[in-house]
Amino acid sequence: MINGLIALLIAVIVVGIIAWLVTYIIDMLPIDGPFKQIAKVLVLLVALLIILLKALPLLGLGGAL
């Protein structure tokens, strides 16, 4: 159980850093405001889905991915 929590914590940190870097890069791109917001929301959704998929096995609700 503790190994799963440590793996989840590491995954949250790595996914968070990658999501932050991608949103930073999106801010630097010369695109319009609405497209920039849509891209940021998509990055956030993908990051949350990855974290959720990592957390489900700890809750006993999914297979080990």
Side-chain angles (χ1 to χ4, degrees):
M1 181 69 177
I2 201 80
N3 290 336
L5 290 175
I6 291 172
L8 180 64
L9 179 64
I10 292 171
V12 167
I13 291 170
V14 170
V15 169
I17 290 172
I18 291 172
W20 174 74
L21 285 173
V22 171
T23 55
Y24 179 75
I25 291 170
I26 289 171
D27 279 336
M28 295 296 144
L29 293 174
I31 54 177
D32 292 336
F35 297 114
K36 203 177 277 193
Q37 286 299 111
I38 291 171
K40 285 182 181 181
V41 168
L42 288 176
V43 168
L44 181 63
L45 285 175
V46 168
L48 288 175
L49 284 174
I50 291 171
I51 292 170
L52 183 65
L53 286 175
K54 292 288 186 181
L56 281 178
L58 288 176
L59 299 172
L61 298 175
L65 294 176

